[in-house]
């Protein structure tokens, strides 16, 4: 019984730490891109980079790869520049165009109007 309680506390602690870390990247993204808090991108919350739970969508994976290449755990202008010209979700619109058009760069169903 004691082992179960210890395992539960550890899992809850890890979950809390993960949930506290991710909003920092989201807030940095909004700040660096100048996206309005009332935009679809801001409203997307975690689904901007995540598909389900902790699984990353294509845009999240590209950001993760760019951050790893830049050897940083912070979202920086250089990281955003590295993914700007990519089309993470393969919908024929660059990530930069999607952000400027207020569509989700990790969701192929969300794309800029032609």
């Amino acid at each position: 019984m004691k082992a179960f309680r210890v395992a539960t506390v550890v899992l809850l602690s890890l979950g809390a730490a993960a949930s506290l870390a991710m909003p920092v990247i989201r807030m940095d993204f909004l700040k660096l891109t100048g996206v309005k808090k009332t935009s679809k991108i801001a409203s997307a919350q975690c689904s901007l980079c995540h598909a389900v739970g902790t699984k990353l969508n294509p845009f999240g994976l590209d950001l993760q790869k760019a951050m790893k290449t830049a050897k940083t755990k912070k979202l920086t202008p250089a990281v955003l520049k590295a993914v700007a010209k990519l089309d993470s979700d393969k919908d024929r619109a660059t990530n930069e165009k999607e952000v400027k058009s207020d569509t989700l760069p990790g969701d192929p169903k969300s794309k800029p109007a032609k």
Side-chain angles (χ1 to χ4, degrees), residues 11-113:
L11 289 173
L12 289 174
S13 298
L14 290 173
S19 68
L20 290 173
M22 290 305 126
V24 172
I25 291 176
R26 182 178 165 272
M27 294 306 293
D28 287 345
F29 180 86
L30 298 176
K31 183 177 167 186
L32 291 169
T33 59
V35 171
K36 295 178 182 174
K37 291 182 181 182
T38 57
S39 69
K40 289 179 188 174
I41 288 177
S43 298
Q45 305 249 349
C46 297
S47 65
L48 174 63
C49 298
H50 292 268
V52 176
T54 58
K55 182 180 177 192
L56 295 172
N57 66 29
F59 180 62
L61 290 170
D62 283 342
L63 281 175
Q64 181 183 54
K65 183 179 176 184
M67 290 168 71
K68 187 174 183 180
T69 299
K71 296 180 178 154
T72 184
K73 292 185 180 194
K74 294 189 90 176
L75 189 61
T76 64
V79 169
L80 286 176
K81 185 176 181 181
V83 300
K85 300 298 180 199
L86 300 177
D87 177 12
S88 295
D89 58 10
K90 309 294 185 235
D91 64 358
R92 299 185 183 165
T94 65
N95 295 333
E96 180 177 41
K97 183 174 183 178
E98 292 220 47
V99 171
K100 287 181 179 179
S101 300
D102 196 23
T103 59
L104 303 175
D107 180 358
K109 296 177 199 154
S110 174
K111 54 187 167 189

